[in-house]
Amino acid sequence: MDGNSSAEFKELVRSRTDIVQLIGESVSLQPQQGGRVFKGLCPFHDDHNPSFTVNPERQSYKCWVCNEGGDCFSFVMKHDTLGFPETLEFLARRAHLEMPAKLRRGPAESSHKPQLYDVLMWAQDEFHNYLNSSAAGERARNYLRERGFTQATISRCKFGYSPDDWEWLIRRAKGRFDVELLFDARLVSKRSEGGGCFDFFRDRVLFPIHDERSRVVAFGGRILPDNKYENAQKYLNSVDSAIFHKSRLCFGLAWAREAIKKSKTVVVTEGYTDCLKVQQAGLMNAVATLGTALTDSHVTLLKRLASKVVLVYDGDKAGKDAAERSLSKFLAQDVDLRILTLPGDLDPDEFVTAHGAKALEKLIDSAPEVAEYELRVLIGRHGTETIDARMRILDGMLQLLIMSPGIVGTVKEDMLIGRLPQRLGLSESDVRRRLKEMRGENQNRLIRTTERRVSATEPTGESPQHRWRPAILSLQQTQSKDDLLECELLQLLFTSPDIVDAVRREIGTDDFKNDVLQELLTVCFDLSDDGQLPSFDKVLTRLECPDLKGLIVWIDEQAREREIAIRLAQDAAREGDDSFNGLLRQVLDGLKWRRTQDSHRAAQGRLIERPRESASLTQETLDLLKQASQFHQRRSSRKV
Ligand SMILES: [Zn+2]
């Protein structure tokens, strides 16, 4: 591939992408220092304080805890687990740029996520139009009306209808999309015998399921009540695919995002129809899980946008059980998690229909937090009359604490324990003793689980994509004197790329000892060979490896911390137009001195190795001795 035109296109895509906006789609960012940086919770580690910064001027991001960093490309690659070509395609589309023909990928080259989004978007329109304008859609339209959905909601959320036909969608797709693609998008199923495919959804009202970037990734289908099938499942969701992961997705998030940001609160219902009805009633900050309990990935996703998460469960027994099952998992999360079970066995849909949004909002505002909820449930179950009942409640509450290992020794733990003695009429020392006992019983099991978890996350083998990772990690953890010097030169180059010619007159890439840093210097020099200045963003764009990108953002941030730009400006003011100013001179001299030292060491080695038997000194030996004496002279004259 022609390197230059590919680099130009990458730069074009980068220049048309606003990194604050891009990252803001998945992380809630707050402007700091008058908008010079934006801060949020890091999406790459379990972040508790906002340690993730986005720099609009540099168009880069960086986490101060896990050291992830880079540009728009590496963000999408990491966050959406895409390869570079797909990332380029995704960002190009997002910026409404057409991919140059030579950059377009063949079908076999990589995964085909962009085509999956295309076919699902197309299917959404097909189903939606069929619902609105076909005679067969009448039954579906009636059903939705009876369920209380307004036309506005139907249009906004693009509800659809798939007719009672085994090959309706397959026929519509003919000449446009491959059946294999329909299958990969989970729109059709394969026949178990005789080959061929059939439509996955039949005679169902379809609710499109969008990801957090508002792309259709799946459908939820509700069978029409008067269907002809026996024992048809009432609700049927798309099966997981390359772009749809049920346990991670929050239904409705794309619509709810703004309201969540504004209210700092997110309301989580158990199903999408509840979520849709609650949103329709005016509480736009509602999302739903898709037939699964709230998972860790849900909470991690949501707490980046909201500080308070309210789980709304149906008032029936199943709802209450579901609530209890997920409690301990979230006790240690640093999010204000509240549980609301609705009165009178109602689900959220029925509740807003009967009582309105205001009434629901009131309940949401006063919903108890997790531990309080559990305490009330246990008190309701056992009563507090007898010592035995109170001990059972205590054990239940302590069990909750034990199940969330992350809470040990935290203020939250103290608060939770602190309220128990009074509520249960026990002494605090009794409570603590019982906790210690129970923790002891659980200790071994916990250690085993933790060990398993750690070994499961360890890297398995070295993948070519991460070949730099070990070197980068060791560089960032223990910067040697040599590394520091080399990083310093790169900091100077990124801060003031026009010094590149002066640098190249004195330093070559082989003057760098650290392989990773040498790789970065090589990219700088390659750019200058192409007649371009190795500016921070040019280097960033030319690199495709996210780990290397992270490294250069790290180096660039160090340059800012050390105020390299200010020091360069001061040097220039002092020395006029002389480009060999103080700091740069110092670094170049440092590198050159190191080179001299190394060649002296090599010469010394060769002197020692000389064969003893040759009595007379050869010219070569004389030269080496001369070099050595010069070296000692220079070293003694050097100010250390
Ligand atoms: Zn991080």
Side-chain angles (χ1 to χ4, degrees), residues 42 44-45 63 66:
C42 174
F44 302 116
H45 79 273
C63 169
C66 70

Side-chain angles (χ1 to χ4, degrees), residues 235-250:
Y235 287 97
L236 181 68
N237 289 342
S238 301
V239 182
D240 276 19
S241 72
I243 55 173
F244 174 52
H245 309 282
K246 206 169 286 155
S247 62
R248 272 187 248 158
L249 193 130
C250 284

Side-chain angles (χ1 to χ4, degrees), residues 153 275-284 352-353 356-358 360:
T153 300
C275 167
L276 288 163
K277 288 300 282 291
V278 172
Q279 285 192 351
Q280 179 176 288
L283 290 181
M284 279 307 288
V352 281
T353 308
K358 279 269 168 291
L360 182 60

Side-chain angles (χ1 to χ4, degrees), residues 30-45:
Q30 301 299 328
Q32 311 254 310
Q33 302 168 28
R36 272 190 296 140
V37 287
F38 288 77
K39 270 196 149 184
L41 290 177
C42 174
F44 302 116
H45 79 273

Side-chain angles (χ1 to χ4, degrees), residues 42-45 47 51-52 63-68:
C42 174
F44 302 116
H45 79 273
D47 201 2
S51 4
F52 187 79
C63 169
W64 296 96
V65 173
C66 70
N67 255 331
E68 283 292 345

Side-chain angles (χ1 to χ4, degrees), residues 237-297:
N237 289 342
S238 301
V239 182
D240 276 19
S241 72
I243 55 173
F244 174 52
H245 309 282
K246 206 169 286 155
S247 62
R248 272 187 248 158
L249 193 130
C250 284
F251 178 86
L253 186 55
W255 300 310
R257 182 188 308 281
E258 283 313 309
I260 294 174
K261 277 192 192 171
K262 214 183 263 169
S263 63
K264 295 260 171 255
T265 302
V266 57
V267 176
V268 186
T269 66
E270 283 184 288
Y272 48 80
T273 48
D274 282 329
C275 167
L276 288 163
K277 288 300 282 291
V278 172
Q279 285 192 351
Q280 179 176 288
L283 290 181
M284 279 307 288
N285 57 339
V287 301
T289 55
L290 288 168
T292 65
L294 197 68
T295 62
D296 283 319
S297 4

